[in-house]
Amino acid sequence: MNLIVYPGSPYPLGATWDGDGVNFALFSQNAVAVELCLFHSHADKKAASVVQMKERSHYVWHVYVPGLKPGQLYGYRVYGPYDPKKGYRFNPHKLLIDPYAKAIAGTVEWHDSLFGYEVGDPEEDLSISLTDSGPYVPKSVVIDPAFDWENDKSPRIPYHNTIIYEAHVKGFTELHPDIPENIRGSYAAIGHAVTIDYLKQLGITAIELMPVHHFITDRHLVKNGLTNYWGYNTIGFFAPDVRYSSSGKLGEQVNEFKQMVKELHKAGIEVILDVVYNHTGEGNHLGPTVNFRGIDNQSYYRLSDDRRFYKDYTGTGNTLNAMQPNVLRLIMDSLRYWILDMHVDGFRFDLASALARELHEVDRLGSFLDIIHQDPVISQVKLIAEPWDVGEGGYQVGEFPPGWTEWNGKYRDCIRDYWRGADSMLAEFAERFTGSSDLYKDDDRTPTASINFITAHDGFTLNDLVSYNEKHNEANKEDNRDGETHNRSWNCGAEGPTDDPEIERLRARQKRNFLTTLFLSQGVPMLVAGDELSRTQHGNNNAYCQDNEISWLNWKDADLQLLSFTRKLIHLYKSHPVFSRRRWFQGQQIKGSDLEDIAWFKPDGTEMTEENWRNDFAKSLAVYMNGRALHATGWKGEQLQDDSFYIIFNAYHGHLEYRLPGEKYGKEWIKLLDTSETEGIVEGGRVYGPGDLLDVEGLSVVLLRQPGQI
């Protein structure tokens, strides 16, 4: 190419097409020279043209090339010292992906040239590789940002009306028989009418997609015939991963993603992205050089006192340095891009504690949290923290500031322990069931600060939680050493599949128990895709590398009975605001009545005492929830009221006789739900009066409603 180049602008970062040409801007504080490499096609082994980027403003290298158009492929070569002991890893023999690339054409093809050092050299990364990596690095793509959104608007569903569904783009759709085969496993499949109808019928209000930022599959996985299925290995924080595109690699993936969001929004469903800003796919000091490391290692990563090595709070080999202004800018620019340009409605931050670390400690007022709090765009969407990392002091459940919600790991652990019969205090069960006020109330947060979940992508599925005592991760080819060992699971009497009908019935009841507890608890419920269908991973609790039937939803063998129960349960939850309160229970009498907003009972119908709460052997209790004490108003300011409910939880293995409380709490009760019943939801349930006895089966939940109140 014979190119004319202009100085260009340092802002915005990345490659920006303006209709006449493209502005390229790349941050590198310590580089001494930067080359822009332009390619005709992804298969090109060498650049068609190389542009010297001579302009540098505030550590940003920039150039404008008139005549270039969307679809143009490019990469960078960055010059500077190669001195790993001092933290410098510049190597111009390595073609680098633009950190701000809006699309990436293809994936990394593993080859020794991808490493900045000579693989196999006794000096390891202290040696330097002079082999060109260009043929093996995916090229960045210039995109056309134009898209007809058709007046698309975010559904902006409040947290107290939110039901989150965690799903994998490919895993959810790859085997669905009603989705066209040519789009299965793609963004288009998630936005397809079949998927949307399913989510609507289930009652989902927000789909939380596992990582869709462009990621790397680790070399050792490829060698073992595996892949990084989950995608927690990002190299492109602006680019939707090309592997989930059914329409093309040269920017088409961007429009396909946007179309998916638009279709979900039309159905009133929000899109939340699981994002991984705590580390990148470049790994530790022996990892590849594909972008950040070669652009400016010192400016992007947390380095140890020995600058050759990385601080690793993530278990992946490196940690992005969110104390650095350029890294903070990268994260904030990425978040704003996904909100403003891609129209997503929120984010779940993987290992969020790593982002909140200052010099070492997790700081709830650290730079990352401060800048998000004051940002007028980012602060207005859903912000969900995974409130832990793998470093010292990284477990921060309940410690994130107002404006954040959190995956409540304590809720998960407590509810699992309760239903497997472990010794645990009833007081903690009651605390978790009512929104975990011990974690969130003192920070002026509401019960919706707690994202409640029984299972997540990481760990057993719901079916496996009641079918396995031990993990079975042999397919991961790590000798079953990987994955969590303490799962708080119970196999109900047999490990894995069984023909014993009693065990099968018990497992089905336990699944109903877990789901019922989840959707009757205060907080925001999160359901993992496929749990409502009894999806199994055959005991694999760490299927991060299994892009196959182990991870994909098996629609053909779906548990339709559990699906029907889950749909009815979610409909019940959505129909009654008493299960999704916006204010904390007070345990106090409400005005004009001697009734409290909540009261707890023993099987004999008397209220729980302080001594009862301290018992770790008691497995059963009941709760009265007063629908006239919501202390909340509707959209137009009207005072909200609901029916009152009485819920009996029996984690004891034998049946118990429960006496209903006195007339003060209700003159009539109708049984709506009994998890000991095969269908779970009781149609035309039996009516009970005050003081009546109920026979409650072992390991079951019974829900009664006081009718005619509202």
Side-chain angles (χ1 to χ4, degrees), residues 2 4 24 74 77 83 89 157 203 216 273 298 325 330 360 399 416 419 426 437 484 501 531 547 554 587 626:
N2 293 318
I4 299 172
F24 297 90
Y74 70 100
R77 296 187 188 274
D83 189 350
R89 292 180 179 269
I157 298 167
I216 286 180
L273 299 187
Q298 281 203 357
L330 171 79
H360 174 70
E399 298 299 326
R416 286 188 178 193
W419 283 115
L426 289 179
S437 63
E484 176 61 56
D531 274 357
D547 186 6
N554 184 346
N626 192 335

Side-chain angles (χ1 to χ4, degrees), residues 11 60 81 248 254 269 275 311 334 363 366 430 459 525 536 544 590 614 675 688 690:
Y11 183 85
V60 176
V254 178
I269 299 172
V275 290
K311 289 184 178 179
S334 171
D363 185 353
T536 180
Y544 77 101
I590 60 174
R614 290 195 292 268
T675 61
Y688 295 86

Side-chain angles (χ1 to χ4, degrees), residues 148-175:
D148 184 5
W149 281 103
E150 297 182 292
N151 298 315
D152 173 74
K153 292 182 180 178
S154 169
R156 289 197 168 275
I157 298 167
Y159 272 119
H160 64 271
N161 290 333
T162 296
I163 299 172
I164 298 173
Y165 192 73
E166 188 194 34
H168 188 282
V169 171
K170 184 174 184 180
F172 185 74
T173 62
E174 184 69 14
L175 297 179

Side-chain angles (χ1 to χ4, degrees), residues 661-673:
E663 190 172 331
K664 163 185 171 182
Y665 291 95
K667 296 181 180 180
E668 191 176 67
W669 294 98
I670 298 176
K671 184 157 75 167
L672 292 185
L673 181 151

Side-chain angles (χ1 to χ4, degrees), residues 75-352:
Y76 293 107
R77 296 187 188 274
V78 181
Y79 293 76
Y82 185 85
D83 189 350
K85 289 184 176 180
K86 294 183 178 178
Y88 297 114
R89 292 180 179 269
F90 295 103
N91 188 335
H93 301 282
K94 309 305 161 187
L95 186 72
L96 304 174
I97 301 165
D98 182 0
Y100 277 73
K102 304 302 191 301
I104 298 172
T107 58
V108 164
E109 297 176 37
W110 283 107
H111 187 269
D112 285 354
S113 65
L114 293 172
F115 297 83
Y117 60 94
E118 282 292 335
V119 175
D121 191 290
E123 292 288 304
E124 295 186 316
D125 59 311
L126 298 181
S127 65
I128 185 169
S129 167
L130 305 181
T131 308
D132 180 18
S133 68
Y136 308 99
V137 176
K139 311 305 184 288
S140 305
V141 185
V142 176
I143 70 160
D144 180 354
F147 181 77
D148 184 5
W149 281 103
E150 297 182 292
N151 298 315
D152 173 74
K153 292 182 180 178
S154 169
R156 289 197 168 275
I157 298 167
Y159 272 119
H160 64 271
N161 290 333
T162 296
I163 299 172
I164 298 173
Y165 192 73
E166 188 194 34
H168 188 282
V169 171
K170 184 174 184 180
F172 185 74
T173 62
E174 184 69 14
L175 297 179
H176 202 300
D178 298 328
I179 292 175
E181 192 170 349
N182 64 311
I183 67 167
R184 290 178 193 169
S186 70
Y187 305 118
I190 293 291
H192 191 270
V194 167
T195 301
I196 291 174
D197 287 347
Y198 178 83
L199 296 175
K200 291 287 287 182
Q201 289 180 31
L202 187 56
I204 298 305
T205 71
I207 185 167
E208 180 178 303
L209 296 177
M210 291 176 64
V212 298
H213 289 173
H214 201 95
F215 62 88
I216 286 180
T217 290
D218 316 70
R219 193 180 201 184
H220 76 275
L221 291 177
V222 174
K223 284 183 176 179
N224 284 330
L226 301 170
T227 188
N228 191 321
Y229 171 71
W230 285 352
Y232 291 93
N233 218 17
T234 307
I235 54 166
F237 293 109
F238 294 78
D241 196 281
V242 73
R243 280 160 281 209
Y244 306 138
S245 173
S246 64
S247 52
K249 300 179 178 181
L250 299 180
E252 295 91 348
Q253 62 266 51
V254 178
N255 284 347
E256 185 174 330
F257 184 93
K258 290 178 178 178
Q259 187 67 33
M260 174 196 73
V261 173
K262 185 168 76 170
E263 296 302 325
L264 288 163
H265 281 181
K266 285 179 182 177
I269 299 172
E270 293 184 312
V271 179
I272 298 171
L273 299 187
D274 192 338
V275 290
V276 191
Y277 294 109
N278 56 78
H279 74 279
T280 80
E282 290 188 300
N284 64 15
H285 62 292
L286 298 179
T289 296
V290 293
N291 55 355
F292 303 97
R293 176 175 283 136
I295 291 168
D296 199 338
N297 187 59
Q298 281 203 357
S299 294
Y300 279 107
Y301 292 116
R302 287 181 179 264
L303 303 181
S304 299
D305 292 339
D306 182 342
R307 310 294 283 172
R308 177 186 176 188
F309 303 107
Y310 298 85
K311 289 184 178 179
D312 182 10
Y313 297 114
T314 65
T316 64
N318 68 59
T319 306
L320 271 177
N321 190 352
M323 292 191 300
Q324 290 278 17
N326 63 292
V327 175
L328 275 176
R329 176 172 59 182
L330 171 79
I331 296 172
M332 300 307 145
D333 286 349
S334 171
L335 292 171
R336 279 189 291 267
Y337 174 75
W338 288 98
I339 297 167
L340 297 175
D341 286 62
M342 308 295 263
H343 286 209
V344 305
D345 306 283
F347 306 93
R348 177 264 188 190
F349 291 83
D350 179 66
L351 301 182

Side-chain angles (χ1 to χ4, degrees), residues 17-36:
W17 180 63
D18 63 4
D20 296 317
V22 180
N23 189 82
F24 297 90
L26 178 75
F27 171 89
S28 182
Q29 181 172 341
N30 295 297
V32 298
V34 177
E35 291 176 349
L36 169 67

